[in-house]
């Protein structure tokens, strides 16, 4: 089983995804935008919410830490932070671990480009294992394979995207090991769920697409992919590889032993990547595979288009890709769609490309979540767009560090406040924390310090990351909590997670809904957190 990153367009080998079922049983018991800023009345305010004494004390404690960086960091690390819904596995693993794996696998490094390659190590190539003893070589790899000590004067966009090709020879070999390292990190950040991206049956999809070729009649093209069981063979291949990755993960993490790693407690699901800067027949084949897979194996939940949105083919074929998803959504309505859209900024592309990407992702391609969405205020009639997103609960996945590194967008330039002002659901995410040298705690701390968010607002951001996850089952919360507040459904009204045993109706909900079970687990964690930081 192998794992590519969404952003690297060319791979020397087949790169495949991993997929897991639940890794453990879940316990059910105990700033402004300047001229573009929207008007204050853009969305109706949420109704008043009852604040418990523990919440009030925790909120006051947070405010007391604002001038104490070390204690503030500890607060945000301990804060329960729901799930990470925008995460690329090969970009999430720590660079130090990739360097270690490269050495263990006997790989070489081309010294001119700092690219990992298969052995033997001839002229101009150095054993990756040298990084164990040569600190200067190790640090040079760290800079080449991540945003560590990013060179002044270099394009953040170009350096970021180039990293994945440099360590690509490492990531495809050990998907289970990589997942184990990432899962441990997610759990230590006090998160309970992960949706991570990888590319299923990459080489097989490439071969089937080449065999079938392009056909502008999408229905006929889909039938060609299905002919003679071609697409179903790819589904079977992806599932076998998921099984192998799961086994490697469990072995690495020691799941089922008396010394399980923290990641064994994490619930993980997979989003199938589609290489948007590829020929249209390959894009369509990967889309069809990902959606068919999500409808047949509950370890896989959705598809997403990856690689730079400003790529030549991505820009040329953007509306074609949206039409492809519109067609395939009708064939696989139970599978989810989440899309990188609006990961653009003036100067990166021509002005006309900034006017429709989010609109088309939502209006044509049936996207249930949008990744990045940074160019919002440059979209045609963007106020109408955000009102629709709020009404239909189309969430935005916001990775602040990634947006700053790739696009240079941060602070008042970021549309974070505009989305929130119009009532669009917002979830914080990491994107590629290994490459970016960040973590989800930093993203929450950045949101709080930059935009003045208080404890209750941070708590609701964490809740949103589970509410808008592609988890099956009923929610613990009543309809549209972004607009109406996080009020428990009648079955669980009055029960205090972490403090009370739920009643019979609530236990039935938790037993029958994976989503509600994870949400209850987070609420119990909030109760413990508030006892720790707010006192009794």
């Amino acid at each position: 089983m192998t794992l590519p990153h969404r952003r690297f367009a060319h791979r020397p080998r087949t790169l495949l995804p991993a997929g897991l079922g639940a890794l453990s049983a879940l316990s059910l018991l105990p700033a402004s935008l300047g001229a573009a800023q929207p008007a204050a009345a853009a969305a109706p305010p949420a109704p008043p919410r009852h604040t418990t004494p523990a919440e009030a004390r925790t909120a006051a404690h947070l405010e007391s830490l604002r001038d104490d960086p070390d204690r503030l960091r500890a607060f945000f690390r301990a804060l329960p932070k729901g799930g990470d819904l925008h995460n690329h596995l090969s970009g999430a693993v720590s660079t130090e671990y990739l360097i270690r794996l490269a050495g263990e696998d006997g790989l070489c490094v081309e010294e001119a480009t700092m690219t990992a390659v298969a052995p033997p190590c001839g002229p101009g190539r150095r054993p990756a294992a040298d990084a164990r003893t040569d600190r200067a070589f190790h640090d040079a790899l760290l800079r080449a394979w991540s945003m560590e000590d990013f060179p002044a004067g270099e394009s953040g966009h170009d350096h970021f995207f180039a990293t994945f090709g440099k360590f690509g020879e490492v990531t495809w070999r050990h998907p289970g090991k990589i997942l184990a390292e990432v899962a441990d990190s997610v759990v230590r950040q006090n998160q309970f769920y992960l949706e991570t991206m990888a590319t299923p049956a990459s080489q097989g999809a490439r071969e089937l697409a080449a065999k079938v070729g392009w056909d502008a009649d999408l229905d006929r093209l889909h039938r060609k992919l299905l002919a003679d069981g071609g697409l179903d063979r790819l589904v079977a291949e992806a599932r076998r590889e998921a099984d192998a990755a799961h086994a490697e993960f469990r072995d690495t993490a020691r799941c089922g032993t008396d010394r399980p790693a923290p990641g064994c407690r994490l619930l993980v699901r997979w989003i199938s990547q589609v290489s948007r800067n590829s020929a249209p027949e390959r894009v369509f084949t990967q889309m069809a595979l990902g959606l068919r897979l999500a409808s047949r194996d509950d370890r896989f939940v959705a598809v997403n288009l990856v690689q730079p949105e400003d790529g030549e083919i991505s820009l040329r074929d953007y509306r074609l890709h949206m039409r492809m998803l519109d067609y395939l959504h009708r064939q696989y309505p139970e599978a989810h769609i989440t899309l990188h859209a609006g990961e653009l900024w003036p100067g990166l592309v021509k002005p006309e490309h900034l006017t429709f990407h989010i609109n088309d992702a939502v209006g044509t391609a049936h996207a249930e979540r949008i990744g990045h969405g940074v160019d919002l205020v440059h979209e045609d009639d963007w106020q109408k767009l955000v009102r629709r997103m709020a009404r239909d609960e189309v969430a935005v996945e916001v990775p602040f560090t990634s947006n700053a590194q790739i696009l240079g967008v941060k602070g008042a330039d970021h549309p974070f406040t505009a989305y929130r002002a119009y009532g669009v659901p917002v979830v914080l995410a990491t994107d590629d924390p290994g490459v970016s040298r960040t973590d989800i705690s930093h993203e929450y701390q950045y949101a709080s310090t930059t935009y003045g968010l208080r404890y209750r607002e941070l708590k609701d951001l964490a809740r949103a990351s589970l509410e808008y996850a592609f988890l099956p089952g009923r929610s613990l919360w009543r309809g549209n909590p972004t607009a109406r507040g996080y009020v428990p459904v009648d079955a669980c009204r009055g029960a205090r997670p972490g403090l009370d045993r739920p009643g019979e109706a609530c236990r039935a909900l938790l037993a029958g809904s994976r989503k509600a079970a994870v949400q209850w687990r987070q609420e119990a964690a909030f109760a413990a957190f508030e006892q720790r930081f707010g006192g009794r």
Side-chain angles (χ1 to χ4, degrees):
M1 174 118 209
T2 53
L3 290 167
H5 192 274
R6 43 105 182 211
R7 303 182 185 272
F8 185 53
H10 305 290
R11 288 288 185 207
R13 295 179 177 269
T14 303
L15 301 172
L16 308 166
L20 304 182
L23 299 183
S24 65
L26 291 176
S27 172
L28 302 183
L29 304 175
S32 76
L33 269 171
Q37 185 175 359
R49 303 179 189 180
H50 173 68
T51 299
T52 68
E55 282 180 328
R57 289 192 296 268
T58 304
H61 181 71
L62 171 59
E63 298 312 307
S64 75
L65 302 178
R66 294 296 186 184
D67 297 323
D68 189 333
D70 291 340
R71 295 176 67 201
L72 191 64
R73 172 68 178 170
F75 178 94
F76 279 100
R77 187 174 180 86
L79 176 73
K81 294 178 285 290
D84 195 343
L85 308 185
H86 190 114
N87 174 285
H88 302 272
L89 186 62
S90 62
V93 63
S94 72
T95 311
E96 288 86 350
Y97 190 52
L98 290 180
I99 294 171
R100 174 183 151 191
L101 287 177
E104 291 175 354
D105 286 344
L107 299 183
C108 312
V109 175
E110 289 184 346
E111 295 184 88
T113 62
M114 301 303 287
T115 299
V117 295
C121 302
R125 294 182 174 185
R126 185 174 181 180
D130 286 357
R132 298 171 187 165
T133 56
D134 186 334
R135 188 66 195 183
F137 181 49
H138 178 279
D139 290 350
L141 282 174
L142 192 62
R143 289 190 295 271
W145 292 6
S146 77
M147 300 298 284
E148 179 81 1
D149 294 332
F150 173 65
E154 187 178 346
S155 163
H157 174 283
D158 294 349
H159 185 87
F160 185 94
F161 287 122
T163 61
F164 305 103
K166 293 178 180 179
F167 59 65
E169 185 64 27
V170 185
T171 55
W172 70 267
R173 295 169 180 267
H174 299 293
K177 288 184 177 181
I178 289 173
L179 179 61
E181 203 256 6
V182 171
D184 281 354
S185 174
V186 171
V187 172
R188 290 189 178 110
Q189 291 289 318
N190 283 295
Q191 292 190 289
F192 312 100
Y193 178 65
L194 174 66
E195 287 178 8
T196 192
M197 288 176 254
T199 307
S202 179
Q203 185 61 32
R206 184 193 300 270
E207 292 171 357
L208 180 60
K211 176 183 176 182
V212 169
W214 173 240
D215 190 327
D217 184 324
L218 299 181
D219 188 60
R220 188 164 57 216
L221 179 57
H222 187 229
R223 291 198 304 270
K224 290 178 181 178
L225 293 176
L226 293 171
D228 301 321
L231 195 56
D232 285 331
R233 282 194 294 275
L234 294 183
V235 169
E237 179 184 344
R239 297 180 73 175
R240 287 193 301 270
E241 293 167 352
D243 292 341
H246 189 188
E248 184 183 44
F249 167 85
R250 290 186 60 81
D251 181 64
T252 303
R254 304 181 304 279
C255 300
T257 73
D258 59 357
R259 297 184 303 110
C264 293
R265 303 196 301 270
L266 187 67
L267 182 61
V268 180
R269 289 294 181 268
W270 293 90
I271 294 174
S272 298
Q273 298 179 156
V274 174
S275 303
R276 71 194 319 167
N277 280 302
S278 300
E281 61 270 20
R282 185 179 175 207
V283 171
F284 187 84
T285 299
Q286 288 186 315
M287 287 178 178
L289 168 60
L291 291 168
R292 195 170 182 86
L293 186 58
S295 67
R296 284 160 171 73
D297 188 325
D298 68 3
R299 295 173 295 184
F300 297 85
V301 294
V303 297
N304 200 336
L305 301 182
V306 300
Q307 299 181 319
E309 193 175 339
D310 57 290
E312 179 181 358
I313 296 175
S314 175
L315 292 176
R316 183 195 71 192
D317 291 348
Y318 190 88
R319 282 190 155 136
L320 171 61
H321 295 163
M322 299 302 102
R323 292 197 300 272
M324 290 176 177
L325 287 168
D326 180 37
Y327 167 80
L328 289 168
H329 173 71
R330 295 194 295 271
Q331 313 309 310
Y332 306 100
E334 66 275 30
H336 297 288
I337 297 171
T338 177
L339 294 176
H340 288 76
E343 192 181 4
L344 303 170
W345 197 246
L348 184 64
V349 295
K350 295 179 180 178
E352 56 264 30
H353 292 299
L354 299 170
T355 61
F356 65 91
H357 281 209
I358 304 174
N359 265 294
D360 281 13
V362 173
T364 302
H366 309 277
E368 298 165 70
R369 299 198 309 249
I370 294 297
H372 299 278
V374 175
D375 73 356
L376 172 68
V377 299
H378 301 280
E379 294 265 333
D380 288 339
D381 202 351
W382 68 269
Q383 293 95 338
K384 180 180 179 181
L385 169 63
V386 288
R387 291 189 186 101
R388 175 178 181 171
M389 293 173 69
R391 181 196 70 205
D392 296 344
E393 295 184 78
V394 178
V396 179
E397 306 153 353
V398 176
F400 286 117
T401 299
S402 174
N403 295 157
Q405 290 175 340
I406 298 173
L407 301 174
V409 179
K410 56 188 176 180
D413 289 333
H414 198 287
F416 177 74
T417 54
Y419 282 120
R420 283 170 49 81
Y422 278 86
V424 176
V426 174
V427 298
L428 301 188
T430 58
D431 200 11
D432 298 281
V435 171
S436 291
R437 312 293 286 173
T438 189
D439 58 41
I440 193 65
S441 297
H442 173 272
E443 305 304 288
Y444 273 80
Q445 185 170 341
Y446 178 90
S448 181
T449 56
T450 303
Y451 302 104
L453 301 191
R454 306 294 183 175
Y455 173 64
R456 186 59 181 264
E457 294 170 297
L458 297 166
K459 190 173 182 179
D460 284 354
L461 283 174
R463 286 167 165 167
S465 70
L466 296 179
E467 178 68 16
Y468 299 100
F470 296 141
L471 276 165
R474 292 175 55 203
S475 173
L476 182 64
W477 310 111
R478 301 178 78 170
N480 197 349
T482 299
R484 300 172 186 169
Y486 283 84
V487 178
V489 294
D490 289 343
C492 295
R493 288 292 290 272
R496 298 176 299 171
L499 301 174
D500 300 331
R501 179 178 175 82
E504 182 178 354
C506 189
R507 289 200 303 272
L509 170 65
L510 301 180
S513 169
R514 181 156 287 173
K515 173 172 281 191
V518 178
Q519 291 171 322
W520 180 273
R521 183 179 172 191
Q522 172 164 262
E523 292 305 303
F526 273 127
F529 177 81
E530 289 163 6
Q531 287 180 353
R532 173 183 172 186
F533 286 94
R536 294 183 180 275

